């Protein structure tokens, strides 16, 4: 592939996908990111390399940055009075069957927590070429956001659901207005989660992450998830709500005022959500396969180091530097401070890069 010396040249290459702050709508941003996810692995490496080279971030990071750029940043909660300190207090994150999921014995993980608590960020730390990350929010009005071909690139599980038993839920806003709530919102999440459980059993070659608030809203009995990995974000109601509303609001004053008014109406629902999350935390908190973890500065530093190593692999891949990729792999193998999962991520990425460079590597 031709080497590019500026961003504009790279953007013009139809085999690459690069997200910039020239994108002005969430719909356009989602469409571009879906296109990125459907690229062959080699082209994703090139896209990430040039994105990082010219913008300082890879494509998934730019997706988050541009998404946040489209969101209002006003803090509207200065005078809020909460009736119970538990809505302010942040708990440690809960990980049930984490080792089982990392090893592949359990190949589906459900992540729950308040909207804005960091579920997607938690999921991204687990993502890889063989992990499907599914956000339950994307089930709603899927026809308005994804063609069936785009669904194939987004997730094989998602596509199979809408192409099969979930076909009746593949609708847009126009159809939604003629369907009773109890036949749509009250069913689509339940039916998909049950489908996901069975689908994952039949497709052991991949791992699946399913995240969203709908898990605890529509499944009152946590024991339904006993056989699967469950991660629960401990971020407090207040902190989550601030994040969520910053994410959802547009920058115009009219929408800001509407969101201020809505907050009072939504607060009661968030308190009820907290109680439902507590049911899950209490249930899985007593399980022997559960660990609690607070992210320390050291953990954040280690995560950043892993991300930088993964970016370096793309850089050396583009420059055909086989020795440097091998060096990263040896370093990861010898690093006793790396978690099993991060070690596996780095080594797997090195091996796949070498494979794409037609270098034989040990299995």
């Amino acid at each position: 592939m031709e080497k590019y010396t500026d961003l504009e040249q790279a953007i013009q290459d139809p085999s690459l996908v690069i997200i910039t702050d020239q994108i002005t709508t969430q719909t356009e941003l989602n469409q571009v990111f879906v296109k990125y996810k459907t690229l062959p692995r080699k082209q994703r490496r090139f896209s990430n390399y040039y994105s990082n080279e010219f913008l300082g971030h890879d494509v998934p990071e730019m997706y988050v940055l541009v998404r946040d750029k489209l969101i209002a940043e006003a803090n509207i909660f200065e005078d809020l009075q909460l009736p119970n300190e538990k809505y302010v207090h942040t708990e440690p994150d809960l990980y049930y069957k984490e080792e089982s999921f990392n090893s592949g014995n359990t190949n589906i993980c459900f992540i729950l927590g308040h909207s804005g608590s960091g579920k997607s960020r938690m999921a991204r730390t687990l993502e890889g070429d063989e992990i499907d990350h599914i956000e339950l929010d994307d089930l709603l009005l899927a026809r308005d956001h994804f063609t069936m071909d785009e669904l194939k690139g987004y997730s094989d599980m998602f596509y199979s659901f809408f192409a099969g038993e979930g076909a009746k839920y593949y609708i847009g806003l126009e159809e939604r207005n003629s369907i009773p709530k109890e036949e749509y919102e009250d069913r689509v999440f339940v039916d998909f989660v049950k489908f996901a459980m069975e689908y994952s059993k039949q497709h052991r070659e991949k791992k699946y992450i399913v995240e969203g608030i709908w898990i605890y809203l529509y499944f009152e009995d946590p024991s339904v998830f006993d056989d699967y990995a469950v991660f629960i974000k401990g971020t407090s109601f207040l902190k989550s709500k601030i994040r969520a509303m910053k994410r959802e609001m547009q920058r115009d004053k009219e929408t800001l005022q509407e969101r201020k008014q809505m907050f009072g109406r939504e607060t009661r629902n968030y308190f009820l959500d907290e109680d439902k999350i507590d049911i899950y935390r209490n249930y899985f908190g007593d399980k022997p396969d559960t660990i609690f973890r607070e992210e320390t500065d050291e953990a954040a530093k280690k995560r950043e180091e892993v991300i930088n190593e993964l970016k370096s692999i793309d850089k050396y891949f583009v420059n055909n530097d086989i020795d440097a990729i091998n060096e990263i792999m040896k370093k990861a193998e010898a690093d006793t401070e790396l978690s099993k999962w991060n070690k596996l991520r780095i080594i797997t990425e090195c091996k796949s890069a070498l494979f794409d460079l037609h270098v034989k590597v040990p299995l």
Side-chain angles (χ1 to χ4, degrees), residues 49-72:
Y49 168 75
Y50 284 115
S51 179
N52 198 60
E53 187 77 4
F54 298 126
L55 299 172
H57 302 277
D58 62 24
V59 177
E61 289 173 341
M62 283 303 298
Y63 169 78
V64 174
L65 290 172
V66 174
R67 182 195 65 190
D68 289 349
K69 176 180 174 289
L70 301 175
I71 295 165

Side-chain angles (χ1 to χ4, degrees), residues 30-45:
N30 289 340
Q31 289 173 345
V32 173
F33 194 53
V34 167
K35 183 180 178 183
Y36 162 79
K37 294 184 73 173
T38 63
L39 288 176
R41 184 173 59 195
K42 180 178 179 180
Q43 298 312 118
R44 290 203 305 271
R45 290 193 190 282

Side-chain angles (χ1 to χ4, degrees), residues 99-303:
E99 284 298 320
S100 180
F101 182 74
N102 287 344
S103 67
N105 291 332
T106 302
N107 72 322
I108 186 167
C109 175
F110 295 94
I111 299 181
L112 58 144
H114 284 299
S115 179
S117 62
K119 298 184 299 299
S120 294
R121 182 176 297 175
M122 176 185 275
R124 283 196 297 272
T125 67
L126 299 172
E127 284 189 82
D129 285 342
E130 296 305 319
I131 297 183
D132 260 5
H133 172 198
I134 296 160
E135 297 187 29
L136 289 176
D137 286 350
D138 291 333
L139 284 166
L140 292 176
L141 305 180
R143 186 193 292 273
D144 287 344
H145 305 293
F146 302 99
T147 65
M148 290 300 290
D149 283 341
E150 287 172 338
L151 282 173
K152 288 182 182 179
Y154 174 59
S155 160
D156 56 1
M157 179 186 284
F158 233 47
Y159 172 77
S160 297
F161 177 70
F162 284 115
E165 64 185 70
K168 63 183 178 182
Y169 299 124
Y170 183 62
I171 65 173
L173 181 60
E174 184 176 349
E175 297 98 324
R176 166 65 191 88
N177 292 334
S178 63
I179 301 176
K181 179 177 180 293
E182 61 271 15
E183 294 180 14
Y184 184 51
E185 282 98 332
D186 289 353
R187 290 304 315 165
V188 62
F189 299 113
V190 173
D191 288 354
F192 177 77
V193 168
K194 291 180 178 178
F195 174 86
M197 290 173 170
E198 291 304 314
Y199 187 89
S200 65
K201 293 176 183 177
Q202 303 301 319
H203 297 79
R204 300 289 305 176
E205 74 281 1
K206 265 195 173 184
K207 294 181 182 179
Y208 300 91
I209 299 171
V210 178
E211 58 115 328
I213 65 173
W214 312 103
I215 295 169
Y216 60 79
L217 291 181
Y218 284 100
F219 290 87
E220 295 183 359
D221 181 6
S223 67
V224 172
F225 298 91
D226 273 348
D227 295 333
Y228 312 99
V230 176
F231 297 171
I232 304 176
K233 285 297 298 178
T235 311
S236 71
F237 152 75
L238 181 58
K239 190 172 183 179
S240 299
K241 188 57 179 170
I242 291 173
R243 285 181 183 172
M245 292 183 67
K246 282 183 177 179
R247 185 180 66 212
E248 294 165 4
M249 290 186 300
Q250 301 298 319
R251 292 183 180 275
D252 60 280
K253 293 182 179 180
E254 181 179 349
T255 302
L256 175 60
Q257 292 302 320
E258 289 176 358
R259 294 302 290 167
K260 285 181 179 180
Q261 294 171 7
M262 287 180 65
F263 179 72
R265 297 194 297 270
E266 293 177 347
T267 297
R268 180 175 178 275
N269 291 333
Y270 264 75
F271 292 162
L272 294 175
D273 290 354
E274 185 74 49
D275 294 336
K276 291 177 180 178
I277 294 174
D278 274 349
I279 292 174
Y280 274 78
R281 288 182 65 85
N282 292 335
Y283 179 80
F284 288 107
D286 293 331
K287 298 282 188 180
D289 289 339
T290 293
I291 62 171
F292 292 92
R293 184 180 302 126
E294 294 190 49
E295 185 170 75
T296 62
D297 291 340
E298 187 60 33
K301 180 180 177 182
K302 179 59 68 174
R303 186 181 69 242

